[in-house]
């Protein structure tokens, strides 16, 4: 069975195949109404249960749109109004849902909940974000880079800000596709050292800096994310430490001239990124958001063995 928990669990050829599937499905439905089903309707008759323990706009809508376009259906649930919110175990929830749906996506506070769900489920489980990682997001980001004409192999992707779950998934993907990650994060907000060590041991090139200018030098892409992720509590400390890591026009000017800007969104304009960068000529943030649908379709078909590329 194919779960999609983290990009570092996948073979490089599977990551490549998922990206190819996403590009192909996007190209095949240019200009169509968003709810029209793809010609091959590969997930006809299939149902996804998407469970959210935390807020979501893009992930929630893109999973639903993705399943409709694949010919299937989605049940969107949240922990608060299901029995999970009253203490039913993840293990029992996994076993029950596996009798009712064909695939499950979970956005969880704790990555351990996702691992447990996958352990007890008898259908594929997809990571819709945890405190540890956000692999669906990174597939959309990599698609967006390729659409901008940036070849992933040998590319330099700079990160300035909090060393969070989104950065973890970039590091997971780096070794699979041959791009380098250059991350500038303040002391105390560096990326997870176990992720960096494991990534490097698997061949990923990961550079860590204190200074954002060093990270963006020679970069093909500059990425950042909120300074306060869902579940973070030390807001004052974060705002103070991360202030110098803001992505603004001065920082973008230090990257390669053709560099693009990405942000998974939601953004806190004026904090981790300025309006001028968000709305500027190098920004690809709304292509990136749209690509969540196309990337998720590729993940769903891959998990269910219905992809045309893998
Ligand atoms: N980027 C992302 O995952 O957005 P949502 O939190 O809105 O799903
Ligand atoms: N790092 C952010 C990403 C939101 C899509 C969070 O976990 O809240």
């Amino acid at each position: 069975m194919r779960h999609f928990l983290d990009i570092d669990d996948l073979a490089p050829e599977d990551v490549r195949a998922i990206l190819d599937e996403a590009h192909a499905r996007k190209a095949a439905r240019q200009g169509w109404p968003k709810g029209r089903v793809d010609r091959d309707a590969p997930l006809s008759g299939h149902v996804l249960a998407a469970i959210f323990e935390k807020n979501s706009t893009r992930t929630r809508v893109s999973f639903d749109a993705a399943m409709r376009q694949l010919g299937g259906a989605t049940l969107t649930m949240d922990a608060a109004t299901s029995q999970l919110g009253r203490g039913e175990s993840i293990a029992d929830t996994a076993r029950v849902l596996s009798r009712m749906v064909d695939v499950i996506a979970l956005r969880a506070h704790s990555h351990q909940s996702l691992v447990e769900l996958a352990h007890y489920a008898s259908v594929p489980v997809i990571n819709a974000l945890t405190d540890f990682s956000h692999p669906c997001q990174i597939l959309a980001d990599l698609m967006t880079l390729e659409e901008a004409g940036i070849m992933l192999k040998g590319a330099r992707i700079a990160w300035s800000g909090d060393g969070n779950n989104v950065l973890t998934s970039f590091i997971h993907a780096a070794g699979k596709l041959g791009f380098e990650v250059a991350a500038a994060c303040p002391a105390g907000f560096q990326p997870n050292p176990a992720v960096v060590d494991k990534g490097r041991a698997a061949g990923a090139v990961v550079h860590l800096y204190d200074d954002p200018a060093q990270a963006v030098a020679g970069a093909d892409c500059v990425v950042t994310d909120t300074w306060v992720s869902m579940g973070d509590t030390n807001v004052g400390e974060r705002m103070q430490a991360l202030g110098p890591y803001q992505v603004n026009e001065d920082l973008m000017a230090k990257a390669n001239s053709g560099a693009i800007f990405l942000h998974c969104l939601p953004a806190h304009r004026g904090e981790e990124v300025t309006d001028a960068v968000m709305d500027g000529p190098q920004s690809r943030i709304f292509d990136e958001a749209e690509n969540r649908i196309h990337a998720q379709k590729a993940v769903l078909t891959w998990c269910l063995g219905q992809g045309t590329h893998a």
Side-chain angles (χ1 to χ4, degrees), residues 44-85:
S44 171
H46 290 71
V47 180
L48 162 74
I51 311 169
F52 291 86
E53 291 184 355
K54 304 190 200 189
N55 296 53
S56 172
T57 298
R58 278 143 290 269
T59 307
R60 178 183 176 130
V61 175
S62 59
F63 266 117
D64 194 330
M67 279 305 281
R68 287 170 198 241
Q69 292 183 8
L70 293 167
T74 306
L75 291 160
T76 302
M77 304 163 60
D78 59 58
T81 58
S82 65
Q83 297 292 4
L84 278 169

Side-chain angles (χ1 to χ4, degrees), residues 1-15 18 111 114-115 118 125-127 132-133 135 168-169 171-173 176 198 202 302:
M1 187 167 33
R2 286 172 160 181
H3 297 303
F4 183 77
L5 303 189
D6 269 313
I7 295 174
D8 73 341
D9 298 334
L10 270 64
E13 49 275 22
D14 281 333
V15 183
I18 289 171
H111 194 75
L114 178 80
V115 171
V125 170
I126 298 173
N127 180 352
F132 176 67
S133 57
T168 287
S169 290
I171 294 171
H172 284 160
K176 306 287 175 186
K198 192 175 167 202
W302 179 81

Side-chain angles (χ1 to χ4, degrees), residues 82-159:
S82 65
Q83 297 292 4
L84 278 169
R86 294 183 58 250
E88 185 168 15
S89 72
I90 294 267
D92 285 349
T93 303
R95 291 182 283 219
V96 170
L97 290 181
S98 296
R99 303 287 188 103
M100 297 183 172
V101 303
D102 302 288
V103 52
I104 306 170
L106 175 64
R107 171 165 286 196
H109 290 291
S110 160
H111 194 75
Q112 189 49 40
S113 301
L114 178 80
V115 171
E116 201 176 326
L117 185 77
H119 180 77
Y120 289 102
S122 53
V123 298
V125 170
I126 298 173
N127 180 352
L129 177 147
T130 68
D131 56 341
F132 176 67
S133 57
H134 195 4
C136 289
Q137 179 66 52
I138 284 350
L139 294 175
D141 292 12
L142 298 178
M143 257 188 98
T144 311
L145 278 154
E146 291 188 320
E147 286 176 344
I150 296 166
M151 207 171 54
L152 296 178
K153 192 166 175 55
R156 179 174 168 98
I157 298 183
W159 177 277

Side-chain angles (χ1 to χ4, degrees), residues 12-36:
E13 49 275 22
D14 281 333
V15 183
R16 186 65 259 166
I18 289 171
L19 289 173
D20 290 345
E21 180 89 21
H23 285 298
R25 287 201 175 274
K26 181 175 182 178
R29 58 174 298 120
Q30 283 299 319
W32 287 17
K34 294 174 183 68
R36 186 182 291 172

